[in-house]
Amino acid sequence: MQVYNTLTRQKETLKPIQAKKVKIYSCGPTVYDFPHIGNLRAFIFADTLSRALSFLDFEVAHVMNITDVGHLVSDEDEGEDKMEKAAKREKKDPYEIARYYEDVFKENLKELNIKTPNWMPRATEHIEEQIKMIEQLFENGYAYITDDGIYYDVSRFEDYGKLSGQKLEDKEAGSRIEIKDQKRNPEDFALWKFLVGENKNHIMHWKSPWGEGFPGWHIECSAMGMKYLGETFDIHTGGIDHIPVHHENEIAQSEGVTGKKFVNYWMHNNFLQVDGGKMSKSLGNFYTLQNILDKGFSALDYRYFCLNAHYRSKLNFTWEGLQSAHNGYKNLKEKIQELHNKNVQQGKSLKQENKYLLQFEKSISDDLNTSQALAILWESIKDQNLSNSQQLSLIQEFDQVLGLELMQEKEDIPAEIQKLAVKREKMRREKKWEESDKLRSLISEKGYEIKDIAEGFEIKKK
Ligand SMILES: [Zn+2]
């Protein structure tokens, strides 16, 4: 499989550390509010990647974290913790907020038919691991202490900026961020925050060798990634907005601790725009999955909408766009229903069936080209050289990657009706019209309609 690696800025052949086993870490949600559809695009991407790898016979170990502490409102380590802010807004305990929105998130995943990753660790349950890393960073000379917390000194990490390709000097020259208080460099980031200033009344806090406080946002991903996947693992995913700060910091912390490469392949999905611009609450175009459901669309309409674009392209969400995805998906399901209803006995070209399978594999192996994969699915459905059972078996295969529940919701034709229909078909072929008509009436009385087609027959519920 070829994947685009943000680190090297090119497509590369995926070579896992352990043959045939791929370890993936995906930055998960901060559970302080409903996820918006842009967030969900990232999780649909990570899920499709994991499904594609399984399809290509890799064993997948997938971690997705739950951020339930330490993610501050501003990326510059200032402002309130998002969790605590939400707790004030909703007059609840931050833990209550965290568990509530975690449940909402998991419900969203289910509706989008996203497979549950092997681990979904919470930051608050891995404080010890995070403290250990910070201790190690002190030992290795990357951490320093200020009045409001412990910071990482980015100037000590030679490779800082390697993911985004931004050199520290260039960044600083253009940076308007003032060096706050005792920070040594503007890009230095918090590893641990003390209960002072804005965070004086921070409800979630723990003991540490340096005093009571709570972890910075970035350290959790390094700590949990390494705990579950090892010091170096294969793939890390996330939205492109994470590249310049969050992921750059994850690399600095992890490699600062181990002296080893943290991740071999960094894969990032592009933004979801809404009406050609940024999604924002003030513009009233900040949508959640519930907003989509409220308008009568299904979660899988949205999944289909996302799969029609390459994950590395910007995707523009409009209601018209979702409507046409809905129509396409509905059409697809109807075509599949027709295949279920048909009864075609004769076998067709096996070579043709394999051709589609190979094309499909090729497209997902090419940096997860899902729009092409969908085009191949459509082509195979329209191909008259395949029998309907061949088409159905292809769809079943393809859907392992697409996750569109294409084989579900099929109308179940009771065995009794099936039997009558097959018997009638036999009569018809033998030109025993009277018997054939009688059977058709009987089937009709039982609520089913039979339609003769060139290749056999179709049964439908009336
Ligand atoms: Zn992360």
Side-chain angles (χ1 to χ4, degrees):
M1 183 176 191
Q2 294 268 312
V3 297
Y4 181 86
N5 188 354
T6 308
L7 193 60
T8 57
R9 291 162 197 83
Q10 61 188 11
K11 269 195 216 174
E12 291 174 22
T13 304
L14 176 69
K15 290 186 193 130
I17 299 164
Q18 273 171 272
K20 283 300 180 195
K21 179 159 187 169
V22 182
K23 297 183 176 182
I24 311 177
Y25 185 94
S26 299
C27 284
T30 301
V31 283
Y32 71 107
D33 205 344
F34 294 98
H36 60 67
I37 55 174
N39 302 138
L40 296 174
R41 183 186 187 197
F43 304 119
I44 292 171
F45 153 60
D47 177 58
T48 313
L49 173 67
S50 150
R51 286 167 172 271
L53 289 165
S54 302
F55 186 80
L56 298 169
D57 289 332
F58 290 102
E59 190 192 326
V60 176
H62 192 189
V63 176
M64 184 189 285
N65 65 304
I66 300 285
T67 298
D68 55 357
V69 70
H71 194 172
L72 302 187
V73 171
S74 130
D75 264 352
E76 277 81 50
D77 296 313
E78 282 164 43
E80 275 180 286
D81 185 322
K82 291 185 181 186
M83 297 306 313
E84 304 259 334
K85 196 178 170 190
K88 276 183 206 159
R89 179 186 73 215
E90 300 188 17
K91 296 192 177 58
K92 283 181 185 152
D93 177 84
Y95 283 99
E96 231 179 294
I97 294 285
R99 300 305 170 249
Y100 175 76
Y101 287 110
E102 181 183 319
D103 287 347
V104 168
F105 175 71
K106 287 180 173 166
E107 200 49 48
N108 278 190
L109 294 193
K110 225 185 272 165
E111 292 191 76
L112 288 161
N113 198 24
I114 289 173
K115 286 189 178 173
T116 310
N118 306 74
W119 298 274
M120 294 184 87
R122 295 170 178 152
T124 52
E125 290 168 4
H126 294 76
I127 299 296
E128 207 179 302
E129 288 85 348
Q130 298 178 66
I131 289 176
K132 269 200 189 124
M133 274 196 80
I134 301 169
E135 283 180 306
Q136 195 62 48
L137 286 171
F138 264 112
E139 220 165 282
N140 298 355
Y142 294 101
Y144 63 95
I145 194 158
T146 73
D147 290 341
D148 96 315
I150 292 161
Y151 283 83
Y152 185 102
D153 184 344
V154 296
S155 68
R156 303 264 307 153
F157 185 67
E158 212 179 309
D159 280 342
Y160 195 81
K162 70 175 168 182
L163 187 65
S164 56
Q166 278 181 293
K167 286 209 178 76
L168 209 50
E169 306 89 82
D170 304 343
K171 252 185 153 183
E172 276 177 30
S175 169
R176 284 208 226 128
I177 312 158
E178 283 171 44
I179 302 185
K180 285 272 169 194
D181 306 327
Q182 303 147 337
K183 264 167 82 166
R184 293 178 187 167
N185 312 286
E187 289 78 14
D188 287 359
F189 55 90
L191 298 165
W192 187 263
K193 295 283 264 185
F194 297 137
L195 303 179
V196 294
E198 285 170 304
N199 299 308
K200 214 168 97 190
N201 300 315
H202 205 276
I203 296 165
M204 299 169 134
H205 58 265
W206 296 265
K207 282 198 177 71
S208 84
W210 319 281
E212 293 267 326
F214 60 97
W217 170 39
H218 316 293
I219 193 77
E220 66 172 89
C221 285
S222 293
M224 297 193 282
M226 284 200 225
K227 172 169 180 173
Y228 295 96
L229 303 176
E231 292 184 341
T232 304
F233 55 87
D234 303 301
I235 301 178
H236 196 309
T237 75
I240 54 168
D241 48 324
H242 285 336
I243 298 171
V245 178
H246 182 50
H247 289 168
E248 208 74 85
N249 294 352
E250 278 189 40
I251 292 174
Q253 297 164 150
S254 310
E255 301 189 359
V257 164
T258 64
K260 292 179 196 161
K261 194 175 182 190
F262 179 42
V263 170
N264 287 334
Y265 305 89
W266 287 86
M267 294 178 74
H268 293 98
N269 62 282
N270 210 321
F271 288 118
L272 180 87
Q273 294 186 314
V274 172
D275 302 325
K278 223 182 148 182
M279 193 174 353
S280 86
K281 277 191 175 153
S282 57
L283 288 172
N285 63 5
F286 188 93
Y287 301 129
T288 64
L289 189 60
Q290 192 56 49
N291 296 139
I292 282 180
L293 302 178
D294 289 345
K295 288 222 177 196
F297 295 105
S298 74
L300 293 180
D301 287 337
Y302 183 63
R303 185 174 176 114
Y304 187 80
F305 173 79
C306 289
L307 292 180
N308 265 298
H310 193 270
Y311 76 91
R312 281 197 291 120
S313 325
K314 261 188 205 140
L315 177 56
N316 186 29
F317 178 89
T318 59
W319 289 109
E320 296 75 48
L322 186 62
Q323 181 65 49
S324 70
H326 166 84
N327 296 344
Y329 181 54
K330 189 165 161 256
N331 222 329
L332 183 59
K333 296 276 286 219
E334 278 169 7
K335 287 268 182 305
I336 294 166
Q337 189 57 53
E338 280 169 28
L339 294 178
H340 281 299
N341 294 343
K342 272 189 211 166
N343 187 312
V344 181
Q345 301 298 331
Q346 66 264 42
K348 297 252 173 114
S349 158
L350 201 62
K351 228 172 109 190
Q352 191 75 351
E353 185 180 340
N354 285 334
K355 185 191 92 182
Y356 285 108
L357 208 51
L358 284 175
Q359 282 180 347
F360 184 84
E361 268 184 29
K362 218 172 133 191
S363 52
I364 59 163
S365 301
D366 179 14
D367 194 27
L368 208 64
N369 192 339
T370 51
S371 56
Q372 197 176 68
L374 279 174
I376 290 160
L377 165 67
W378 272 106
E379 226 179 282
S380 71
I381 287 179
K382 288 174 185 161
D383 190 336
Q384 301 289 322
N385 293 312
L386 294 172
S387 73
N388 68 324
S389 62
Q390 283 176 316
Q391 286 168 318
L392 287 171
S393 85
L394 282 173
I395 293 162
Q396 191 157 23
E397 290 284 315
F398 298 167
D399 201 37
Q400 289 176 36
V401 178
L402 303 170
L404 290 166
E405 294 185 346
L406 295 175
M407 298 302 278
Q408 282 175 28
E409 289 171 45
K410 68 167 184 178
E411 282 172 36
D412 263 333
I413 309 292
E416 181 205 358
I417 305 292
Q418 287 276 10
K419 251 190 216 161
L420 288 173
V422 170
K423 201 166 154 196
R424 178 192 162 267
E425 174 70 6
K426 190 168 170 267
M427 296 295 133
R428 196 172 73 93
R429 293 215 183 273
E430 289 169 10
K431 298 193 168 35
K432 294 181 177 162
W433 306 120
E434 209 175 312
E435 280 99 328
S436 151
D437 280 350
K438 258 189 209 159
L439 283 164
R440 179 202 280 273
S441 311
L442 189 61
I443 290 166
S444 172
E445 275 165 35
K446 292 183 186 286
Y448 291 85
E449 193 174 28
I450 198 157
K451 193 176 130 194
D452 296 316
I453 52 172
E455 312 93 324
F457 62 85
E458 239 182 77
I459 327 172
K460 257 189 197 165
K461 208 169 183 165
K462 285 204 287 189

